[in-house]
Amino acid sequence: MTTATDLGRTHGYDDLPRLMGLMTGDEKHGPAATSTLDVLWVLYDRVLRVTPERRADPDRDRFLLSKGHGPMAYYAVLAAKGFLPAEWLPGFGTYDSPLGHHPDRVLVPGAEIGSGSLGHGLPIAVGTALGLRAQGRTDPAVWVLIGDAELDEGSNHEAIAFAGPAGLDRLHTVVIDNSSASHALPGGIAARFEAAGWSAVTVDGRDHAALYAAFTAPHPGRPHVVVARVEPKNA
Amino acid sequence: MDTMRDRFAPVVSRLLDEDPRLAVVLAEIGLDGFQDAMRRHPDRVINVGIREQLLVGAAAGLALTGLRPVVHTFASFLVERPFEQVKLDLGHQDTGAVLVSAAASFDWPAGGFTHMAPGDVALLDTLDGWTVHVPGHPDEAETLLRHAVAAGDDKVYVRLSVQSNRQGRLVDGQRFVTVREGRSGVVVAVGPLLDTVLAATEGLDVTVLYATTVRPFDAAGLRRATETAGTDVVLVEPYLAGTSTTAVSEALSDVPHRVLGLGVGRRELRRYGTIDEHVAAHGLDAASLRERIGGFVEAGRVPVGGRGPVSVGG
């Protein structure tokens, strides 16, 4: 049983399996949850300039979880970094819990958007990048995490096609590629972004050093996508 | 006379100069009117191309950073095509925007059904928390656009049409205006249909209320009107017939009442032609309205020594 001592404490990568274990699983969402774990950890641990204290800071980095299915890894990382108390985790999905099987920004501290329906995060991230730019806030980075099958949604293609020519260089997308799309993009995921003028890198989604290098690669004048390959969903 | 839509770009362009929080998001349609504003405010007048899902999603992102987005295209592409974005990116995210549509129910009949959206207000009625303005004159459109922009982070829909009344009236963005008083029923005329309703009810002993803000519905105003005019209520709306009958029934839920909802028919007309021809086809011309309103009010009259028809709620 967890105790109040977890409140305000931060945890390390090794604590994540225990934190995820506190949430009772929805089996369907299990693979989706672990596929994002390493990407989320590297982002929150080493890349994103956002902390629980900076949640309302207009100059914070934004992370938008578009792939809202299987959010256990997301909740675990948010708990590990002190955005939400680990005591909340065992209530996952229950009536009185703020933690649903899809996250709700109104209920989850640190969640920038509510997600679940596929294809909403990237267009919202485009607007967030535009809004920050319009206010002269050129420092904050906007990150959005989507899945490879989520790329099937046309709304994402609208956003990809716009963001490149618009030169949204503070916009970053991570595609978790667990080969779950029934009809994969011909030529590969990165090529689709590159054709629209994005900077693109494809890496091993479990390799923290490779992920960090990909996340921090310079991309002047262009939005940046990191395709993080993990083990196939149906393997 | 200019149209409501002719006012849109000049009014919003001036507001862009005055309010650093304001941003305009377009999907090619309406771009010409914002050329000057775009030069002055290149980061706050955004054209996403022909991408309506991105149009609404990007507006939500802008709102999340603290801006007040004004989003414009034809009603069919603003409310219907990206409806899930309206529901989730604005509603579920708890963000706001001002959606400003053009083309209304049949502003361009020769364009056919692809460019008609008689169901837009009914569709927004499935969501919570939307304010809906339906101006009936360019001057009112200007007033209501300013109300909409100034409404904090509220979700506001402004429905612009080329159909218009001859004169604008003082509207406050909230309440119905009493245009005529009578004792044998209340007729609520929405937006551009006021002139026709006034012509249709000439000589009838009915109260005519003018509604340019239909959500929230001015239930208190309707109830006040029924105190002298009785609880026979006719709605005349420039979009789907019956869109507001639920609001009327809720306003009068504790008293016996009758309600007749007139408006655009649900059946697809599948005709081109002119606005006037479509108005007539949907029974929204003065002669048709007189017949239907007169018949309804007459049927509700209690004959001396007898009983009127049984009152029914909605």
Side-chain angles (χ1 to χ4, degrees), chain A residues 86-158:
Chain A
E87 282 75 9
W88 287 10
L89 300 177
F92 178 58
T94 59
Y95 188 75
D96 291 322
S97 173
L99 308 181
H101 290 196
H102 301 132
D104 182 337
R105 71 176 288 271
V106 175
L107 302 178
V108 182
E112 297 282 358
I113 59 167
S115 55
S117 289
L118 302 177
H120 288 258
L122 188 46
I124 296 175
V126 165
T128 304
L130 288 167
L132 291 168
R133 182 162 85 175
Q135 295 171 77
R137 300 190 191 281
T138 51
D139 200 35
V142 180
W143 288 84
V144 59
L145 187 153
I146 63 179
D148 68 301
E150 184 178 1
L151 270 176
D152 292 352
E153 293 286 359
S155 52
N156 282 325
H157 292 264
E158 293 186 3

Side-chain angles (χ1 to χ4, degrees), chain B residues 158-232:
Chain B
V158 186
R159 189 184 208 258
L160 305 181
S161 178
V162 300
Q163 297 183 72
S164 173
N165 302 309
R166 278 185 299 277
Q167 66 173 93
R169 292 173 188 264
L170 281 177
V171 295
D172 66 0
Q174 296 178 54
R175 283 177 289 273
F176 300 165
V177 177
T178 305
V179 179
R180 186 182 284 165
E181 291 192 278
R183 306 185 66 83
S184 302
V186 180
V187 182
V188 181
V190 176
L193 287 171
L194 177 63
D195 279 358
T196 317
V197 167
L198 287 174
T201 57
E202 190 65 49
L204 291 180
D205 187 23
V206 295
T207 289
V208 176
L209 298 180
Y210 179 43
T212 50
T213 298
V214 292
R215 299 292 181 279
F217 192 82
D218 183 7
L222 177 67
R223 279 201 73 108
R224 262 195 311 280
T226 61
E227 284 164 15
T228 50
T231 54
D232 286 353

Side-chain angles (χ1 to χ4, degrees), chain A residues 62 103-106 112-115 117 119-120 123-124 126-128 130-135 154-155 158-159 161-162, chain B residues 43-44 46-55 57-62 64-67 84-85 88-89 92-95:
Chain A
R62 269 59 163 194
D104 182 337
R105 71 176 288 271
V106 175
E112 297 282 358
I113 59 167
S115 55
S117 289
H120 288 258
I124 296 175
V126 165
T128 304
L130 288 167
L132 291 168
R133 182 162 85 175
Q135 295 171 77
S155 52
E158 293 186 3
F162 171 83
Chain B
D43 288 337
R44 289 193 290 129
I46 297 148
N47 174 29
V48 299
I50 307 170
R51 300 184 175 98
E52 286 82 12
Q53 296 180 71
L54 178 62
L55 177 77
L62 288 160
L64 285 171
T65 69
L67 294 179
E84 197 192 48
Q85 275 75 16
L88 295 181
D89 299 0
H92 181 57
Q93 306 300 337
D94 205 18
T95 65

